[in-house]
Amino acid sequence: MDKYKELFYNETEEHLELINNSLLELEQDPEDGELIDQLFRSFHTIKGMAGTMGYDKIVEISHKLENILAEIRQGEKKVSPGLIDIIFKGVDTLELLIAGEEVGISDLLQQIDAAGSSGGGERPLARPLSITLQEREEKALEQAEELGKVVRDIKVTLEDDCVFRTLRADMVINKLLELGEIVVTIPRGELQDEALRNGFRLLLVTQAEEERLEAAINSISEIKAIDITEFNLADFLSAAEESDQEVVEAPQGRDERPAEEDKEEDDGNRSISTIKQQLTRTNSIRVDIKRLDNLMNLVAEMVIKRSQVESVGLKHNLKELNKELKSLGKVTNAIQNEVMQMRMVPIGQVFKRFPRLVRDLSKELGKEVDLVIEGEGTELDRTIVNEIGDPLVHLIRNAIDHGIEDKGKVKLVAYHEGNNVVIEVFNTGRPLNPGQIKEKAVEKGLISEAAAGNLSNQEAIKLIFIPGFSTSSEVSDISGRGVGMDVVKNTIESLNGSIDVKSGKGGTSFILKLPLTLAIIQGFMVEISQQKYVLPLKMVREIVKVGRDELVNIEKGQVIRLREDVIPLVDLRGVLKGVGEWGEEKLPVVIVESGEDLFGLVVEKVSGQQEVVIKHIDEEADQNHFLAGATILGDGKVALILDVDKIINNGGGVTLDG
Amino acid sequence: MYHNKDEVQVKQKKLIGFRLAENLFGLEILQVKEIIPLPEITELPNTDKWIKGIINLRGNIVSVVDMREQFSYPVEITKETKVIIVEKENKLVGLIVDEVVGVISMADSSIDERIKNIDAIEKKYIKALGKLEDELMIILDVDTLLTYEKEERNIINSQLQ
């Protein structure tokens, strides 16, 4: 059952996204019939799926929303901001319900009902019932004309207060069947009271005179009006061709649902482009990320096994085998790449929730905000995409709350830059004020006044990333919910990324740099007591050989001199293995950059760089958090990946200041 | 009396039996994923002794716990030493044991979950005692096995501060 729930959740989630986007677009273009259809279909699908799952509340809400859409489609209701608000509200509630939360829905249903009956403005005039022909019907009409029979186009309107519309319509139809053959009835499908509000229309092949038909129909009570004309197929078809779009899309009556559900041939009436769209949409499958991880592990294992077989081949000098293994190696590498690619998803997955966010925020704050999104196709690792949402939400909230004054623009841009993905969140409006920021930081005791004085403007605005800093003096409802920019910075950094801020006359820009993937890093391999460790290559500046006589003892430990710099040492041998005698031999020291500072890591051996796949280690096992993970080397052995920053901060690093 | 026989079968538990310093222990078979010979273990820096390190299990990194250490027996590794891979909270954990005895079926009636007379830290890991013909089996609870250690550590840490 859980599997079905998950499926339900995933699929409805997709539809809710679609709905959110379509609603936003509809707000801009209330006349767009395709959007309305789209929305109608999505609500209808959700209703259907929830029905099979037995989620009554979801069924009820989506049914009511579907009805509103149907009314809009019929032109009986106009799209108004108020109406869209209510639909949004309904969508929000659906989201909660689908996520499994217990939500009361009676208030909402009442609101929807109110909107449904009168809220959306006055009811426009009923649209004429237009005719569409299916192939079979066209043929029938053709034949009738060939036989010299007359086709009458009959429109019947029922009295406004007519109660049994279906019954009356049936009676009319029965009467007419005595006089001829009915080819088409509009609305199509089962005649229902609601569907007949505008009356109905039919094409009758008959030899009876107009007057006779009229009399026959008038013999039924509660008929308001009858309109009979002669139908000419050729005229109809040429008119239809001219306004192809219109005919194809023409509403066939209020209630299209039965036709849609029962008869596939009705799909012929949908434009081909919609069908194509649907086809491409289903061109992907959903896979649990765990399965991808498993696949990746197994592929890595396969690569290792391959090289083990190769070493056997080399040992016994099996040239033929080795040749084959070489080409097998190409295949395994290709598979590995492919699997890595599978983990990549477009950043648009995150971006797509922002139009709604911006709309709601700007409404709430009474500001006029344009959102521009670029580069939503930029791909990065799924794990990063999952984590990046909240920080971005925070930045956007901030931008709208603090940055933009009354009217402005938020721009969200993503692009690749080398091995990184850059995301920029830009907003127009007043720039950050370095002076004010410094003042606040001093006031809050975050830095000393003297230190503040030494800061450049660029350095000053970076103070907003310090824990405890908030640019707004009073906590606002929008962005001041206790999370500050420091949380954003931490999140980004935990993803191995960095954040920078630039501010000027044009506005303010936050620049996020993220790695393409969390799963692979360029590693720098070192050895201590025959065990291999991995340092992130991007931190490594250079390697120097240091002899005992070059060490300088200071109060807090040891340092070395490297050109102009004094570099504190961290003896990894001691930190990791509890050993650390410095003999006569020179030892390699890896100079790493941590934050703005350089440190020297003492190791026993360096063994070059290598791309490594990071694997998670249980938190319980890594009690000091000195490790960023582990990786499996080419020979199947496990090497530990070091969290250099943590080791420097907690593991006996020497600091020079103070 | 055939139907009675069936009923008896329903009330049986299957356990994986293993030994630590001659004592018989058991884990419910459903909690055991697999049993492997002792692989090469990569030690972790500055970690409690009971965590032996991590291993490569077909591309997955799995932490292994020395059960002898956990139950305060002297650590000893022989060629019979095995690692029992169990699943705990969706993670795999390896337990190093002296020897795996095999699958043991035990009637529910001979499993006693009311353990009152054991007064030891280890009591928390113990789910029940099983009576076999000639010896007792200590049935362990995988779920508390590792969490308790963590809680205990936290308590100790907070006392130190």
Side-chain angles (χ1 to χ4, degrees), chain A residues 620-621 623-624, chain B residues 41-54 63-75 77 94 96 146 149 153:
Chain A
E620 284 164 11
Q623 288 162 7
N624 290 311
Chain B
I41 296 176
T42 304
E43 286 179 20
L44 300 170
N46 305 308
T47 308
D48 286 349
K49 263 194 277 173
W50 60 280
I51 293 181
K52 203 70 188 155
I54 53 180
S63 335
V64 288
V65 173
D66 194 325
M67 294 300 280
R68 271 182 169 260
E69 192 78 61
Q70 182 126 18
F71 285 92
S72 318
Y73 298 122
V75 174
I77 297 223
I96 302 176
L146 304 165
E149 192 69 36
R153 203 168 55 231

Side-chain angles (χ1 to χ4, degrees), chain A residues 10-23:
Chain A
N10 284 339
E11 293 208 351
T12 44
E13 194 184 31
E14 233 165 58
H15 278 284
L16 286 176
E17 266 164 31
L18 205 62
I19 289 173
N20 262 322
N21 289 340
S22 305
L23 278 175

Side-chain angles (χ1 to χ4, degrees), chain A residues 297 301 531 575-577 615-618 620-621 623-624 626-627 630 632 636-638 640, chain B residues 40 42-48 51 54-56 58-61 63 91-92 146 150 153:
Chain A
N297 285 344
E301 196 66 8
Q531 199 175 334
V575 174
L576 300 172
K577 286 285 185 187
K615 289 169 193 280
H616 183 71
I617 300 180
D618 278 351
E620 284 164 11
Q623 288 162 7
N624 290 311
F626 282 176
L627 304 177
I632 294 167
K637 286 187 183 165
V638 179
L640 302 176
Chain B
E40 186 177 335
T42 304
E43 286 179 20
L44 300 170
N46 305 308
T47 308
D48 286 349
I51 293 181
I54 53 180
I55 58 165
N56 168 15
R58 288 189 304 282
N60 288 302
I61 299 287
S63 335
K91 301 186 296 207
L92 298 180
L146 304 165
K150 199 172 158 191
R153 203 168 55 231

Side-chain angles (χ1 to χ4, degrees), chain A residues 273-496:
Chain A
S273 70
T274 353
I275 294 166
K276 265 191 190 155
Q277 260 175 21
Q278 281 171 348
L279 283 179
T280 46
R281 223 185 289 144
T282 54
N283 233 344
S284 58
I285 57 163
R286 291 175 172 279
V287 182
D288 189 338
I289 190 85
K290 268 196 199 143
R291 294 200 135 172
L292 278 189
D293 285 346
N294 269 342
L295 182 61
M296 201 163 71
N297 285 344
L298 290 171
V299 170
E301 196 66 8
M302 182 168 74
V303 172
I304 291 164
K305 288 285 170 224
R306 191 205 66 88
S307 64
Q308 281 169 352
V309 175
E310 195 176 30
S311 64
V312 174
L314 286 172
K315 197 166 137 198
H316 299 283
N317 205 15
L318 305 169
K319 278 190 183 135
E320 244 171 286
L321 177 72
N322 292 338
K323 203 179 131 204
E324 293 303 325
L325 281 174
K326 274 231 167 72
S327 58
L328 178 64
K330 277 182 192 155
V331 178
T332 48
N333 284 343
I335 295 175
Q336 207 167 17
N337 273 335
E338 205 61 36
V339 176
M340 286 311 298
Q341 281 301 316
M342 281 185 207
R343 293 175 56 94
M344 306 292 264
V345 288
I347 185 98
Q349 287 210 349
V350 181
F351 284 2
K352 70 188 161 198
R353 58 196 243 215
F354 295 142
R356 174 76 198 279
L357 176 78
V358 170
R359 172 197 182 266
D360 289 356
L361 282 179
S362 49
K363 274 207 153 183
E364 205 174 308
L365 293 166
K367 295 180 181 179
E368 213 174 289
V369 183
D370 260 347
L371 176 69
V372 182
I373 292 179
E374 280 172 23
E376 57 262 63
T378 312
E379 287 194 329
L380 70 174
D381 195 275
R382 161 127 225 156
T383 36
I384 298 179
V385 168
N386 289 346
E387 297 291 321
I388 197 70
D390 288 343
L392 285 177
V393 167
H394 193 80
L395 289 175
I396 290 172
R397 280 173 183 275
N398 259 339
I400 296 176
D401 196 15
H402 303 311
I404 289 173
E405 273 147 300
D406 293 327
K407 195 175 167 184
K409 192 164 81 175
V410 172
K411 200 170 165 186
L412 211 55
V413 189
Y415 54 90
H416 283 289
E417 194 184 80
N419 255 340
N420 290 307
V421 169
V422 180
I423 304 172
E424 282 189 49
V425 182
F426 167 82
N427 67 270
T428 57
R430 56 172 173 248
L432 297 174
N433 183 332
Q436 249 175 32
I437 290 172
K438 277 192 224 176
E439 232 170 77
K440 205 143 270 173
V442 173
E443 199 179 290
K444 295 198 170 181
L446 299 171
I447 54 167
S448 69
E449 211 166 335
N454 286 333
L455 293 178
S456 70
N457 282 350
Q458 182 56 29
E459 284 166 335
I461 60 175
K462 282 190 184 162
L463 289 173
I464 60 171
F465 294 122
I466 296 181
F469 190 94
S470 160
T471 44
S472 179
S473 40
E474 68 246 47
V475 171
S476 85
D477 196 33
I478 305 297
S479 45
R481 292 207 179 119
V483 252
M485 293 301 290
D486 57 315
V487 177
V488 173
K489 186 169 185 250
N490 278 344
T491 314
I492 304 296
E493 281 175 355
S494 73
L495 295 170
N496 280 335

